[in-house]
């Protein structure tokens, strides 16, 4: 850094402390993790958990301590599981943040010192050098060949040259913004804004007014739970009243009512939903996709539109040398079968490398240097032993830079220049015809999405160097075309999205020609004209809505315009997923139905705004996430069919004996046993099922499609009613065939319970697959299904052959020959379930 930049100046420590106390720390306004108490309160306030707690307390009041403790234990277990899972997600997000506090070099008390960037205040003088992150918004006072990468704010991948502004109001060309990277040069600037008041912070603040609504599946599940719960409680109260009035046994009536309430209350629904989404988030984490908002896992399956940023999302956010051109030769480094660089172009690349800094920070210089090391390896055109004599930096008046070298075996000095083609043409004093020919080639390369630089060289006798580059006798060598390459996995990922019926559009701050070129390379639809930010600003909402149907490329768009586009697409009924990594993407990420941020290169503000974070920045992971989203919804529907089907016979066996004048068939302990073992276990079985064949070639489900639609509920009811009729028939037959005596009711109850449990296993097996291809997967049981079957059979053995447990359940062992009845009923039930499964069900 030059002496001028390091001269003592700036605030005193006392002044800095005073301003820090007034303005606050220089930190971004990112959202804070939920506290442990708040998280526990949110989980405990779920309506179904409150209802189950109330049932447990009533059981305690009735003296049924064992049943109460089992019920309350289950409730607290589910709450603890939800708590641990959500805390794990919070901690995973926190792990993405940088571990070290960024530093800043400032001038205070007449000395240059390094402090934590969070301690910066307005008025501080900050020193910048190549490789530094700008710690706050600065007004630049002294600049030496400074370029800044502002892609996080603007989406532009090319660095922006900066100049000094001795007077106020120098514009953005004389300002450096917080979070941006210094790619070249040095500077000294005064802090003009920190924290929330910086350009980066203002974008972060705009997120506060955007509230993400509950997903449709959350809203639907809450409504179903409330309605069924109210209906169940009302029906249970009527049953208790009718039992007491008819038989005069009010305590037994209350017990019958509570049993019916437990049978009807759909406590599995919040458990199943939480379990599916939590396990889906866990599975995604194994694929390097972090789910910050777990419900977004399911919503991915309904995604109809994917809005992608160009820089860092479709592209690698890393410049690469793509093309070299001279008047007589050309070479493309991205050929399918790479060929050696032609000898005639060696000089062009040689002097392009010499025109770069040896310790390059600028992405373009890095790309040129890397290409030189690769394409010129083993030749005499790499000069590690040459000595740098001086350089002529880039300036606003001449967008070119020159570096003067001395060779060990030459007396004369050699000058390498690179810069904007028009500047190099000017330096070489070329004629109009030759200049026009070069300009035509520049336009052709730019149309291919390349950033074009000109290269020239000169020889100058040893001695004093001239004051300006124009005094050298430059000869034009040729042009370099650089690009920010498309990620290798992007075209295949976009093709899969198209096959799945998901439309992909690009939103970028880059030049239209570059955007169209990248879109074509990525496989996007580039036939319709691109819509620029300037055009967008002139369109009203109606005209914009009309253009959205055919436009796939949006370029030169501002951050607030991205937000407008996302909301406009949502107004058309699209379920929008938005990907991005920069601060400028954050408002649109939060407003989208599903915001997807890049974890490795992305900013903290973008990650906080997103629902999903791609930890390895692999764009193909997004397709994997969509696949998991569709799988979650399809398997949820299978689980819902099971839950509906299994509750019908439980409700019927709780209600019908009372109406028929029989003794109670099911007691609370029976229902709780089924809920503790069969229902949670079946949720694991259905959650583990893979996606049905061809599911990723089907269009997304309708955004308004309900989880509990008519087809799903009807399928569950039909399966359940058929099973209830069979069970009632078996119970009536058992009461008629079994020998008279006090044990008969216990035997009949045991046979009916065993038949119900075995039929539940058949129900699980039948519904594991349905829709695109039913049957083959059932021939190959999953490990989860095998464990459920083994655990259920072990439970039956314990219930029937351990006297204490058998007494608790009110069972008596029936004659051995009667065990064929529940087994036969389970087989008959499976045939019925398969017959019902043939009925069509939409949206699977």
């Amino acid at each position: 850094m030059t002496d001028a930049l390091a001269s003592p100046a700036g605030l005193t420590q006392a002044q800095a402390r005073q301003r820090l106390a007034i303005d606050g720390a220089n930190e971004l306004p990112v959202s804070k993790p939920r506290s442990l108490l708040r998280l526990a309160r949110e989980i405990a306030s779920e309506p179904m958990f409150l209802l189950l707690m109330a049932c447990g307390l009533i059981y305690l009041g009735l003296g049924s301590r064992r049943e109460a403790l089992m019920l309350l234990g289950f409730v607290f277990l589910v709450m603890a599981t939800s708590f641990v899972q959500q805390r794990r997600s919070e901690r995973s997000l926190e792990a993405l943040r940088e571990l070290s506090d960024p530093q800043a070099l400032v001038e205070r008390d007449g000395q240059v010192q390094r402090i934590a960037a969070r301690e910066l205040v307005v008025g501080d003088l900050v020193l910048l050098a190549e490789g530094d992150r700008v710690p706050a918004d600065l007004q630049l006072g002294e600049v030496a060949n400074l370029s800044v990468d502002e892609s996080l704010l603007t989406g532009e991948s090319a660095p922006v040259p900066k100049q000094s502004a001795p007077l106020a109001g120098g514009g953005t060309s004389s300002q450096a913004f917080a979070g941006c990277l210094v790619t070249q040069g040095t500077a000294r600037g005064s802090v003009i804004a920190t924290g929330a008041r910086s350009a980066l912070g203002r974008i972060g603040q705009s997120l506060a007014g955007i509230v993400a609504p509950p997903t449709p599946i959350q809203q639907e599940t809450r409504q179903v739970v409330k309605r069924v719960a109210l209906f169940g409680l009302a029906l249970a109260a009527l049953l208790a009243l009718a039992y007491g009035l008819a038989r005069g046994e009010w305590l037994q009536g209350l017990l019958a009512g509570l049993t019916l309430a437990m049978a009807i209350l759909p406590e599995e629904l919040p458990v199943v939903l939480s379990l599916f989404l939590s396990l889906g988030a866990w599975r995604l984490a194994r694929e390097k996709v972090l789910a910050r908002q777990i419900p977004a896992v399911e919503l991915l399956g309904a995604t109809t539109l994917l809005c992608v940023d160009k820089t860092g999302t479709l592209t690698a956010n890393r410049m690469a040398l793509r093309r070299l051109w001279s008047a007589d030769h050309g070479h493309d480094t991205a050929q399918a079968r790479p060929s050696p660089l032609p000898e005639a172009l060696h000089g062009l690349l040689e002097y392009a490398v010499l025109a770069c800094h040896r310790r390059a920070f600028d992405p373009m210089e890095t790309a040129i240097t890397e290409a030189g090391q690769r394409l010129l390896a083993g030749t005499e055109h790499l000069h590690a032993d040459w000595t740098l004599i001086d350089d002529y930096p880039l300036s606003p008046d001449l967008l070119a830079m020159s570096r003067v070298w001395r060779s060990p075996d030459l007396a004369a000095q050699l000058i390498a220049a690179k810069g904007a083609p028009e500047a190099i043409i000017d330096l070489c004093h070329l004629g109009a015809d030759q200049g026009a020919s070069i300009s035509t080639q520049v336009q052709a390369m730019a149309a291919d999405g390349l950033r074009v630089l000109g290269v020239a060289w000169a020889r100058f006798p040893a001695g004093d160097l001239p004051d300006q580059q124009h005094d050298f006798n430059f000869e034009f060598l040729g042009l370099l075309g650089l690009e920010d390459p498309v990620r290798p996995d992007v075209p295949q990922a976009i093709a899969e999205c198209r096959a799945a019926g998901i439309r992909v559009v690009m939103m970028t701050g880059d030049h239209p020609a570059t955007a169209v070129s990248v879109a074509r390379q990525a496989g996007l639809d580039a036939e319709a004209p691109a819509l620029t930010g300037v055009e967008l600003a002139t369109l009203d909402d109606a005209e914009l809505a009309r253009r959205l149907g055919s436009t796939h490329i949006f370029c030169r768009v501002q951050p607030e315009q991205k937000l407008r586009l996302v909301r406009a697409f949502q107004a058309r009924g699209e379920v929008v997923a938005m990907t991005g990594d920069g601060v400028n993407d954050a408002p649109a990420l939060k407003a989208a139905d599903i915001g997807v941020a890049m974890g490795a290169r992305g900013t903290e503000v973008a990650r906080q705004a997103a629902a999903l974070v791609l930890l390895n920045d692999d764009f193909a992971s997004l397709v994997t996430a969509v696949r998991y989203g569709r799988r979650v919804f399809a398997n949820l529907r299978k689980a819902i069919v099971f839950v509906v089907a299994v509750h019908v016979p439980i409700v019927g066996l709780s209600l019908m004996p009372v109406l028929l004048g029989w003794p109670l068939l099911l007691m609370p302990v029976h229902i709780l046993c089924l809920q503790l073992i069969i229902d949670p276990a079946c949720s694991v079985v259905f959650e583990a099922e893979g996606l049905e064949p061809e599911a990723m070639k089907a269009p997304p489900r309708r955004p308004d499609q309900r989880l509990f639609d008519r087809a799903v509920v009807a399928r569950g009811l039909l399966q359940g009613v058929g099973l209830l009729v069979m069970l009632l028939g078996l119970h009536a037959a058992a009461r008629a065939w079994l020998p008279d005596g006090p044990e008969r009711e216990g035997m009949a109850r045991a046979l009916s319970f065993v038949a119900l449990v075995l039929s539940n296993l058949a129900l699980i097996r039948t519904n594991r697959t349905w829709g695109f291809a039913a049957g083959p997967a059932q021939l190959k049981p999953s490990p989860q299904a095998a464990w459920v079957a083994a655990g259920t059979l072990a439970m039956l053995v314990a219930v029937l052959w351990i006297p204490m447990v058998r007494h608790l359940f009110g069972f008596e062992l029936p004659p051995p020959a009667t065990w064929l009845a529940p087994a036969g009923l389970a087989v008959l039930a499976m045939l019925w379930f398969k017959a019902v499964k043939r009925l069509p069900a939409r949206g699977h």
Side-chain angles (χ1 to χ4, degrees):
M1 186 169 290
T2 65
D3 291 338
L5 289 179
S7 61
L11 302 175
T12 65
Q13 290 289 1
Q15 290 173 323
R17 283 194 297 269
Q18 184 179 9
R19 293 189 182 182
L20 185 63
I22 296 173
D23 295 341
N26 178 36
E27 295 177 321
L28 295 182
V30 296
S31 59
K32 297 180 180 179
R34 290 175 292 180
S35 67
L36 297 180
L37 183 60
R38 177 187 167 193
L39 187 58
R41 187 171 63 249
E42 289 178 359
I43 294 173
S45 62
E46 284 290 331
M48 186 49 56
F49 289 136
L50 296 177
L51 288 172
L52 289 172
M53 290 285 292
C55 288
L57 294 176
I58 292 173
Y59 268 92
L60 284 176
L62 292 173
S64 301
R65 186 176 179 184
R66 290 181 179 176
E67 290 84 347
L69 291 178
M70 291 176 69
L71 179 63
L72 293 175
F74 177 55
V75 172
F76 285 118
L77 178 63
V78 173
M79 291 175 63
T81 303
S82 300
F83 179 83
V84 170
Q85 177 62 41
Q86 294 193 39
R87 274 300 297 163
R88 184 176 300 167
S89 179
E90 296 274 3
R91 287 196 298 269
S92 298
L93 176 67
E94 293 167 12
L96 285 172
R97 296 174 181 167
E98 294 182 0
L99 299 178
S100 58
D101 190 18
Q103 303 286 303
L105 195 64
V106 302
E107 298 178 21
R108 284 185 181 173
D109 288 329
Q111 295 182 342
V112 176
Q113 52 188 286
R114 193 169 294 278
I115 65 171
R118 67 185 306 276
E119 298 176 5
L120 282 176
V121 297
V122 174
D124 263 324
L125 288 180
V126 177
L127 309 181
L128 298 176
E130 290 177 343
D132 288 346
R133 283 280 178 191
V134 181
D137 287 0
L138 306 177
Q139 183 69 51
L140 301 174
E142 299 178 42
V143 170
N145 195 28
L146 184 71
S147 292
V148 178
D149 178 359
E150 296 183 346
S151 61
L152 295 181
L153 290 172
T154 65
E156 290 274 13
S157 56
V160 179
K162 296 293 182 178
Q163 60 184 339
S164 60
L167 300 177
T172 58
S173 63
S174 63
Q175 294 178 354
F177 301 102
C180 298
L181 176 67
V182 177
T183 59
Q184 176 180 294
T186 57
R188 181 172 69 173
S190 174
V191 175
I192 57 175
T194 61
R197 292 167 293 279
S198 66
L200 185 150
R202 287 194 298 273
I203 294 178
Q205 276 187 319
S206 69
L207 305 180
I210 305 172
V211 179
T215 64
I217 190 173
Q218 288 177 307
Q219 296 173 349
E220 185 181 0
T221 302
R222 289 174 185 172
Q223 291 175 356
V224 169
V225 167
K226 289 179 181 178
R227 291 173 183 173
V228 176
L230 291 174
F231 172 77
L233 291 175
L235 187 60
L238 289 175
L239 179 64
L241 182 62
Y243 194 104
L245 291 174
R247 305 189 185 185
E249 299 177 359
W250 292 100
L251 187 58
Q252 287 297 319
L254 183 58
L255 180 61
L258 288 173
T259 302
L260 181 61
M262 289 185 64
I264 294 177
L265 293 180
E267 77 290 335
E268 299 94 343
L269 295 183
V271 175
V272 167
L273 181 60
S274 175
L275 182 66
F276 270 58
L277 298 183
S278 297
L279 287 179
W282 173 74
R283 294 182 190 278
L284 277 177
R286 296 173 65 187
E287 302 288 343
K288 303 298 183 183
V289 180
L290 173 66
R292 288 198 64 247
Q293 299 170 13
I294 293 180
V297 176
E298 174 274 328
L299 193 57
L300 272 168
T303 300
T304 61
L305 181 78
L306 178 58
C307 301
V308 297
D309 182 44
K310 180 186 75 67
T311 304
T313 305
L314 293 180
T315 66
N317 200 19
R318 175 179 51 81
M319 301 296 287
L321 180 61
R322 168 70 182 272
R323 195 173 301 169
L324 298 93
W325 177 89
S326 69
D328 302 315
H329 295 84
H331 180 75
D332 193 332
T333 63
Q335 302 173 66
R337 295 182 177 180
S339 58
L341 182 68
E343 179 71 30
L345 294 175
H346 281 195
L348 168 61
L349 185 54
E350 171 189 7
Y351 277 88
V353 172
L354 289 172
C356 298
H357 294 79
R358 278 180 170 163
R359 185 170 175 261
F361 287 95
D362 182 280
M364 290 188 293
E365 290 198 345
T366 300
I368 293 170
T369 302
E370 289 176 351
Q373 295 296 325
R374 184 177 74 256
L375 299 176
L376 297 178
T379 72
E380 71 279 8
H381 298 286
L382 295 176
H383 308 290
D385 57 341
W386 284 23
T387 303
L388 179 66
I389 303 302
D390 202 352
D391 66 357
Y392 294 82
L394 200 75
S395 69
D397 298 327
L398 184 65
L399 298 178
M401 61 175 293
S402 301
R403 293 169 68 80
V404 183
W405 297 89
R406 176 176 292 131
S407 166
D409 55 356
L410 290 177
Q413 299 168 115
L414 298 172
I415 302 93
K418 68 173 174 49
E422 58 273 17
I424 297 299
I425 291 172
D426 184 26
L427 283 177
C428 295
H429 305 290
L430 299 179
D433 291 344
Q434 190 175 2
S437 175
I438 295 172
S439 296
T440 300
Q441 180 61 30
V442 170
Q443 291 297 323
M445 294 172 71
D448 290 336
L450 303 179
R451 182 169 179 81
V452 186
L453 295 177
V455 180
W457 81 287
R459 186 190 298 266
F460 192 80
D464 294 336
L465 293 171
D467 293 333
Q468 55 182 353
Q469 301 177 66
H470 269 293
D471 293 338
F472 293 116
N473 229 352
F474 279 109
E475 293 183 23
F476 182 78
L477 290 175
L479 301 173
L480 301 178
L482 296 103
E483 69 172 353
D484 186 2
V486 171
R487 294 175 181 270
D489 57 350
V490 164
Q492 177 62 29
I494 289 179
E496 290 187 49
C497 288
R498 185 178 292 110
I502 301 173
R503 183 183 171 201
V504 183
V505 301
M506 177 201 293
M507 296 181 187
T508 178
D510 223 327
H511 188 276
T514 304
V516 170
S517 175
V518 169
R520 287 182 176 140
Q521 295 176 53
L524 289 175
D525 185 350
E527 295 302 319
L531 180 63
T532 67
V534 174
E535 295 176 277
L536 178 60
T538 65
L539 300 179
D540 59 22
D541 291 344
E543 180 62 19
L544 175 60
R546 189 186 67 80
R547 292 285 299 273
L548 291 181
S550 59
T551 304
H552 291 80
I553 302 171
F554 302 87
C555 48
R556 293 295 194 203
V557 292
Q558 300 299 315
E560 63 275 10
Q561 291 178 323
K562 288 187 178 183
L563 180 59
R564 183 189 176 194
L565 286 169
V566 167
R567 286 177 166 161
F569 276 120
Q570 289 172 325
R572 298 179 77 243
E574 305 279 6
V575 177
V576 179
M578 167 80 186
T579 70
D581 61 352
V583 174
N584 62 314
D585 298 323
L589 285 174
K590 190 166 185 179
D593 297 286
I594 306 156
V596 184
M598 300 299 173
R601 293 181 180 270
T603 60
E604 178 66 14
V605 172
R607 290 195 293 265
Q608 289 282 346
L612 298 179
V613 180
L614 305 184
L615 298 179
N616 59 359
D617 286 7
D618 185 357
F619 183 77
S621 297
L622 186 57
V623 180
T624 300
V626 171
R627 186 179 297 113
Y628 273 90
R630 293 192 175 192
R631 168 181 168 175
V632 165
F633 189 79
N635 289 346
L636 265 173
R637 287 165 65 85
K638 297 174 186 177
I640 294 301
V641 168
F642 173 83
V643 168
V644 172
V646 82
H647 268 265
V648 170
I650 294 176
V651 172
L653 294 179
S654 301
L655 180 62
M656 293 305 295
V658 177
L659 299 180
L660 296 173
W662 298 345
L664 292 179
L665 200 165
L666 293 182
M667 295 183 293
V669 67
H670 301 134
I671 297 172
L672 190 57
C673 180
L674 291 170
Q675 293 169 345
L676 283 171
I677 297 176
I678 298 296
D679 294 343
C682 85
S683 300
V684 175
V685 172
F686 289 125
E687 191 282 330
E689 288 299 317
L691 191 62
E692 300 278 7
E694 305 299 320
M696 282 300 288
K697 295 182 181 178
R701 70 175 190 269
R702 300 188 314 275
D704 61 344
Q705 183 177 3
R706 299 169 57 193
L707 181 63
F708 300 84
D709 67 9
R710 182 179 301 175
V712 167
V713 174
R715 176 172 293 180
L717 288 175
L718 283 174
Q719 290 181 342
V721 169
L723 177 57
L724 173 61
V725 171
M726 297 178 200
L727 290 170
L728 288 173
L730 173 65
H731 189 70
R735 296 182 75 243
W737 295 341
L738 287 171
D740 259 339
E743 296 87 4
R744 184 174 66 175
E745 292 299 335
M747 292 180 184
R749 183 182 290 118
L751 289 173
S752 299
F753 184 79
V754 171
L756 174 60
V757 171
L758 294 179
S759 298
N760 284 347
L761 292 179
L763 193 61
I764 295 172
R765 179 180 175 84
T766 305
N767 286 298
R768 276 181 53 208
T769 59
W770 45 277
F772 292 95
Q778 294 175 339
L779 301 177
K780 193 175 182 181
S782 67
Q784 293 82 1
W787 278 109
V788 166
T792 302
L793 294 176
M795 179 271 295
L796 281 178
V797 170
V799 166
L800 293 170
W801 275 276
I802 298 177
M804 183 179 66
V805 180
R806 186 169 68 239
H807 175 72
L808 179 65
F809 276 70
F811 291 161
E812 295 292 342
L813 284 177
T818 59
W819 290 116
L820 292 175
L825 185 144
V827 172
L828 186 62
M830 179 176 288
L831 295 176
W832 169 250
F833 299 153
K834 288 186 175 181
V836 173
K837 195 175 71 170
R838 295 181 181 275
L839 297 176
R842 300 168 297 158
H844 45 266

